Amino acid sequence: MGCRAGTCGRAASGPGPLSEGERRAIPGVIAFISERADQKDVWLVKPSGEETQLTKSPGEDDFPAAPSPDGKALLVIAARMVNGFHLEQLRLQPLDGGAPVALHAPRARARNPSWSPDGRWLVAESDARSFSDLVRLEPKAGTEERPLTQVKEGCFEPAVSPDGREVAFVSSREGDPEIYVMKADGTDERRITAFHQEDREPRWSPDGQWLSFISNREGRERYYLVRPDGTSLRAVSGEATKLDERELAWSPDSKKVAFVERLPEAKSRLWVAAVEGGAPVALTDGLSRDDAPAWSPDGKHLVFVAERQGDVDLWLMRADGSGQTRLTTAKGPDWLPRWFVPR
Amino acid sequence: MNSMRNPFAAAAAALALAACGPQTPDSPEAAQAPSSNAVADAARDAVRPGAPGELDPLFEQAAREFNVPASLLKAVSFTETRWQMWQGLTEFEGLAPAYGVMALRGERLARGAALAGVSEAQARTDVLANIRAGAALLSDDAEALKVDRASLGDWAPAVARFSGITHTDAQAEYVHNDVFATLRKGVVAESAQGTVTASIMPIEVQAKFAMPLLRALAESGPDYAAAVWRPSGNYGERPAGTDISMIIIHTCESSYASCWSWLVNPDSGVSAHYVVKEDGSEISQLVSEEKRGWHIGATYDCKLNNSVDCGLTGTSVNHFSVGIEHGGSASQTSFPAGQIEASAKLSCDISRDRTILRDSYHIVAHGKLQPATRTDPGPNWPWSSYLSKVQSYCSSGDIIVDTNNANNDAAVAKFSASANWTKTSSTSGSYGGDYYYASIQGVTDTATFSFYLPAAATKSIEAWWTAGTNRSASTPIVIFNAAGTKLGTVNVNQQAGGSQWNTLGSFGFSAGWNTVQVSRWTSSGTVVIADAIRVR
């Protein structure tokens, strides 16, 4: 079960670290948070290691959210304190370094944006009219926020389906978080999960055939897969993991998911599981804290956050766990990677 | 598994055994009864691995040596630590960390060690040295206060001094409602092996000490009716428009009375919104939920909380959270069930009033958000059951029985069906993710949902199924009480009403395991469905 001898961890098969040539051939760019300055800024790094700073806002923290489908910009959540009042703002940050476009006035809650596939609209959590409801807005300055839900207990974590027709989300109207799906205009809601424990973090497979979500229904945090019609529910990890799981990422071909198993003493381990079933395989050895896997656009590599060599940095590896290579080296934590293809 | 027994019965059994030699395995079982005595709740694993298994002989030895009543020494230790070895953790700056079963701290620990002739290191980590240092301190206090050592009630002022509490009302609460209440009620703790580790025989005694103030109902907290309102001045205003979005769970690293009295002291510079007593019998509210308490010295960093609510990063956690302290220590090996229950009810109430998500990212450990200097409430806080209790209190105590027993609270809910029933998730909208079906047939072969009631009660029964055209339009669901008496049969149309709770009616159930059974004995449709029931 899990990590077969010699196939995972730092001693994994194949020469590591990755060669310069292999790294240069990996597509795309990775946006991440760096804490090398006083505030948190968004940086970009190519798999070859070349870095550029994307946002620079003293006195404010910027978090990378979702890259735009056209690959020309990145949604950033900017957070700052004004007179002791915490404010959030969604901004569209062009990758060419142009001025960011604020989508709305700063407010207490503006989070978890999810793009339509054509890039013409997005859905986000907002407190514009309530505690936390989902709104639909366009990626331009001063856009109108159209409410899609009205639930006083709150709706959270929207995920637009790959075909743009539906939105999966979390609602706590039953007293605990449950997964729902609605049409992209806010109509025809259907509940996907029903259980008196937490179900959260709905994420579509890129082919739209599955939803993943996390639940503590069995006394620990585990990822499950379910068809978008609510059938075929099963745990991702089978019997392989024993402890809490977190940070699932879908492979671009929808055939695999990578996720993290928390281990004692603040360590954690990366796993990959095939959607068609079978025993998951451990990608890292569990000797340090390895978190937040994200797939390369061609699905051949993963970037992840690791606390090794005394600092929190981004690391690269092949999708089978071999060739683990430190990618960022600046002092201060580097984390929250988002991998995409810029245009 | 540990157990706490009715102190009278268990103490009598222990005495009888001590007097009569080898015990028969079943005699203590006969004396066992569910204890309603909150003081006697779950003082288990009194000593850590490697330390002596039995505390009673150590208390006796120290009591003889320093001429202190053994029962008083034990009651003080039980009040402070539940007879667990504390490891000296800090919760409040300015309050030195407490060590051992006697919770000795700071200068008092140094003086106790000197009086007992042991090193400070020994007094911190060795059980006997710790108890002897505590006994020496109590004795020294008694000498200074001219206590009549032969009269247990006369020791009250020495007990008050031992506590280190300076707040007058808290002293009185500590003496009367904690230490002397423990003496009056008695308590017995057992090891995992069933041997007695420490015990106090119940004794009629009154502390010679000023009584605590009588608390009128009007003194309940501003936000939680069950809380005693003990206002602290240590608070500020929340930033305008703050969305109160988290509950932070703490342990005091001290006893309850010591904790709340410290937090209402203007000099301490700290507070919490609530403090929950060890046995759950009392909760103090110190700060209105609307106000900004001073309970966590950290700015929020979402990396520490699974990257949830990253937008709050950099904000003081005190801005947007409600803090709950618990009498006890992050180093203790277990938490009393009564304290967990009381705290879960409180968290349910706060989350309902403030629209806080009842999940593990919004009900969070102090140590999780301030890992550099804090570990509370520690590795043994029962997170999973705590959160599920918060959920169930907020869903008004319903019992839900699912077809997947991994999802059920085994203490109150279980499901069984014969191999003729098939598990599937092929129709959407099932409860918990899957359900069972069986073909209709004139046989007695039911799918059985069982639920436990501690006392007889009239409850409404609801059933959940996945609807479909091949379902029976007249599925018999039969309701039985714990004695097996049939209370009624309800025929439901499972072609309709899918993926929702359908009320079957109200029935008078008995104490014990009652059942709701889905029967195959019908002539309509192709299959019958068993998915989940809800008892409310």
Side-chain angles (χ1 to χ4, degrees):
Chain A
M1 165 189 348
C3 194
R4 294 188 299 272
T7 63
C8 74
R10 264 157 262 193
S13 64
L18 302 174
S19 70
E20 283 297 319
E22 183 172 355
R23 288 172 64 173
R24 271 197 298 275
I26 305 174
V29 66
I30 299 153
F32 65 101
I33 292 176
S34 181
E35 300 186 37
R36 62 193 74 179
D38 287 343
Q39 74 281 349
K40 296 175 180 60
D41 294 309
V42 178
W43 286 65
L44 301 175
V45 62
K46 291 180 181 169
S48 59
E50 185 190 333
E51 292 180 344
T52 48
Q53 185 169 359
L54 186 62
T55 71
K56 198 181 293 184
S57 329
E60 143 183 309
D61 290 329
D62 295 328
F63 300 87
S68 64
D70 66 5
K72 290 181 177 163
L74 178 72
L75 274 176
V76 169
I77 301 169
R80 63 191 153 116
M81 296 291 290
V82 176
N83 299 329
F85 185 22
H86 169 82
L87 294 173
E88 297 174 359
Q89 188 176 45
L90 288 173
R91 291 180 196 161
L92 194 65
Q93 173 64 55
L95 293 182
D96 62 13
V101 178
L103 304 191
H104 54 78
R107 58 167 48 107
R109 193 178 195 98
R111 303 177 191 173
N112 290 325
S114 176
W115 286 96
S116 67
D118 63 8
R120 292 168 65 178
W121 49 272
L122 49 114
V123 179
E125 277 175 37
S126 169
D127 67 339
R129 303 194 187 180
S130 59
F131 157 56
S132 179
D133 269 308
L134 305 184
V135 297
R136 181 164 158 162
L137 63 169
E138 290 172 29
K140 60 185 187 189
T143 175
E144 182 198 3
E145 296 186 27
R146 200 153 66 76
L148 295 182
T149 63
Q150 277 181 297
V151 176
K152 81 176 162 51
E153 295 85 359
C155 294
F156 314 91
E157 300 179 335
V160 178
S161 64
D163 64 7
R165 291 180 173 175
E166 295 186 312
V167 179
F169 63 102
V170 173
S171 173
S172 294
R173 69 190 70 172
E174 301 293 326
D176 63 288
E178 304 274 7
I179 311 293
Y180 293 73
V181 172
M182 64 185 172
K183 283 191 183 158
D185 62 3
T187 62
D188 284 357
E189 268 182 9
R190 61 180 190 268
R191 185 161 66 174
I192 303 301
T193 64
F195 196 69
H196 56 280
Q197 295 277 49
E198 305 173 17
D199 297 325
R200 306 185 322 270
E201 273 187 37
R203 287 175 191 167
W204 297 89
S205 60
D207 62 7
Q209 297 298 302
W210 293 94
L211 281 169
S212 62
F213 68 96
I214 195 165
S215 174
N216 66 348
R217 60 181 61 199
E218 292 179 7
R220 65 171 171 129
E221 303 264 301
R222 296 190 79 185
Y223 281 104
Y224 294 80
L225 297 178
V226 65
R227 295 288 187 185
D229 67 0
T231 64
S232 307
L233 183 140
R234 65 181 171 82
V236 162
S237 55
E239 304 297 314
T241 68
K242 302 287 177 232
L243 300 166
D244 284 348
E245 299 170 358
R246 64 186 179 208
E247 294 171 336
L248 176 141
W250 280 96
S251 68
D253 64 3
S254 297
K255 289 183 176 165
K256 292 175 181 170
V257 290
F259 61 98
V260 180
E261 179 190 19
R262 299 181 69 171
L263 302 175
E265 294 165 359
K267 295 185 170 63
S268 55
R269 186 176 199 182
L270 302 185
W271 292 80
V272 66
V275 171
E276 65 180 21
V281 174
L283 298 179
T284 63
D285 56 19
L287 297 177
S288 55
R289 183 162 78 84
D290 298 330
D291 273 333
W295 297 80
S296 62
D298 62 4
K300 292 179 179 167
H301 291 80
L302 287 160
V303 64
F304 61 103
V305 176
E307 187 162 15
R308 301 179 187 177
Q309 300 175 7
D311 200 12
V312 176
D313 283 304
L314 301 187
W315 287 63
L316 287 176
M317 64 181 165
R318 296 190 197 97
D320 65 1
S322 66
Q324 296 182 13
T325 304
R326 188 171 173 183
L327 178 59
T328 63
T329 55
K331 200 164 165 52
D334 296 324
W335 53 288
L336 212 61
R338 317 278 191 200
W339 200 335
F340 62 102
V341 179
R343 306 250 187 261
Chain B
M1 192 58 205
N2 70 294
S3 64
M4 293 299 304
R5 294 177 180 163
N6 177 310
F8 293 93
L15 285 176
L17 296 170
C20 303
Q23 65 186 80
T24 54
D26 57 350
S27 56
E29 291 306 316
Q32 193 164 0
S35 174
S36 60
N37 184 345
V39 170
D41 182 24
R44 66 173 155 175
D45 301 333
V47 286
R48 305 190 68 77
E54 292 186 15
L55 289 174
D56 267 346
L58 309 185
F59 282 122
E60 300 285 352
Q61 180 185 335
R64 274 196 305 276
E65 182 180 353
F66 295 99
N67 193 16
V68 179
S71 58
L72 186 76
L73 200 52
K74 293 183 207 177
V76 168
S77 173
F78 183 79
T79 297
E80 291 286 345
T81 67
R82 267 38 204 171
W83 293 330
Q84 300 201 23
M85 281 295 281
W86 283 13
Q87 293 172 349
L89 302 170
T90 297
E91 173 66 357
F92 311 121
E93 301 300 340
L95 187 65
Y99 291 89
V101 294
M102 301 300 294
L104 302 179
R105 59 176 95 230
E107 289 171 11
R108 296 274 293 170
L109 182 135
R111 199 159 130 261
L115 289 168
V118 297
S119 71
E120 284 184 49
Q122 286 169 319
R124 280 195 287 266
T125 57
D126 178 77
V127 185
L128 178 59
N130 181 265
I131 294 174
R132 288 181 64 244
L137 278 173
L138 256 181
S139 177
D140 199 51
D141 292 341
E143 196 64 37
L145 293 163
K146 305 203 181 335
V147 166
D148 174 3
R149 291 180 186 248
S151 165
L152 198 52
D154 276 23
W155 280 84
V159 167
R161 183 176 289 195
F162 183 93
S163 73
I165 297 169
T166 54
H167 189 287
T168 314
D169 196 36
Q171 279 186 347
E173 295 277 350
Y174 181 88
V175 168
H176 286 280
N177 296 342
D178 293 334
V179 176
F180 279 78
T182 300
L183 286 167
R184 285 190 296 274
K185 289 174 184 165
V187 55
V188 180
E190 293 180 341
S191 70
Q193 291 72 38
T195 56
V196 172
T197 55
S199 61
I200 295 172
M201 301 301 111
I203 182 171
E204 275 309 312
V205 61
Q206 279 302 323
K208 291 187 182 160
F209 201 79
M211 291 297 286
L213 296 173
L214 279 178
R215 290 188 303 269
L217 285 176
E219 291 183 80
S220 68
D223 298 305
Y224 190 55
V228 178
W229 178 231
R230 293 188 162 106
S232 169
N234 303 335
Y235 68 87
E237 297 300 322
R238 294 186 190 272
T242 293
D243 168 20
I244 301 173
S245 59
M246 284 187 198
I247 296 172
I248 310 298
I249 303 293
H250 304 255
T251 47
C252 294
E253 307 307 324
S254 74
S255 70
Y256 170 73
S258 168
C259 192
W260 69 254
S261 64
W262 179 263
L263 299 177
V264 299
N265 181 344
D267 296 333
S268 75
V270 285
S271 65
H273 295 87
Y274 296 97
V275 187
V276 181
K277 194 169 177 174
E278 289 86 346
D279 61 6
S281 64
E282 187 175 297
I283 293 174
S284 290
Q285 183 169 7
L286 314 182
V287 176
S288 164
E289 289 171 19
E290 289 290 344
K291 304 296 183 184
R292 181 180 181 276
W294 301 340
H295 55 98
I296 172 167
T299 53
Y300 185 68
D301 179 349
C302 73
K303 281 202 307 304
L304 301 171
N305 194 23
N306 302 65
S307 299
V308 166
D309 290 350
C310 280
L312 290 172
T313 292
T315 313
S316 164
V317 177
N318 285 326
H319 277 7
F320 56 83
S321 63
V322 172
I324 307 177
E325 288 280 358
H326 297 82
S329 169
S331 65
Q332 68 196 61
T333 54
S334 64
F335 287 84
Q339 186 176 37
I340 297 300
E341 291 289 328
S343 177
K345 281 181 195 165
L346 173 62
S347 279
C348 161
D349 186 85
I350 298 166
S351 64
R352 188 158 45 200
D353 291 353
R354 305 290 161 193
T355 329
I356 295 172
L357 282 179
R358 285 186 280 277
D359 66 30
S360 42
Y361 302 147
H362 297 86
I363 301 179
V364 189
H366 183 193
K368 188 173 182 183
L369 300 185
Q370 198 177 342
T373 52
R374 295 293 186 276
T375 58
D376 62 311
N380 300 313
W381 182 266
W383 278 108
S384 183
S385 65
Y386 182 77
L387 285 171
S388 88
K389 282 176 195 301
V390 176
Q391 293 284 12
S392 69
Y393 280 125
C394 271
S395 60
S396 52
D398 299 348
I399 298 173
I400 294 174
V401 190
D402 186 36
T403 42
N404 183 354
N405 277 314
N407 296 344
N408 286 329
D409 176 352
V412 296
K414 61 189 178 193
F415 173 78
S416 65
S418 77
N420 301 321
W421 289 76
T422 305
K423 181 174 161 176
T424 184
S425 65
S426 58
T427 300
S428 67
S430 66
Y431 192 83
D434 47 33
Y435 61 94
Y436 280 76
Y437 71 89
S439 60
I440 65 161
Q441 207 163 344
V443 293
T444 304
D445 178 23
T446 61
T448 303
F449 298 90
S450 305
F451 61 95
Y452 183 84
L453 293 180
T458 296
K459 295 282 184 184
S460 165
I461 298 293
E462 298 167 340
W464 184 292
W465 57 79
T466 57
T469 52
N470 67 339
R471 272 56 165 167
S472 171
S474 180
T475 300
I477 301 182
V478 195
I479 294 99
F480 295 90
N481 70 11
T485 305
K486 184 154 90 175
L487 303 178
T489 301
V490 182
N491 291 295
V492 298
N493 178 4
Q494 292 189 321
Q495 295 174 6
S499 304
Q500 66 185 38
W501 292 112
N502 298 282
T503 302
L504 305 185
S506 288
F507 304 90
F509 292 101
S510 47
W513 286 94
N514 299 275
T515 59
V516 174
Q517 304 185 0
V518 179
S519 168
R520 301 171 65 188
W521 202 311
T522 178
S523 56
S524 155
T526 307
V527 297
V528 294
I529 305 293
D531 193 346
I533 63 146
R534 180 161 73 178
V535 183
R536 50 191 344 187

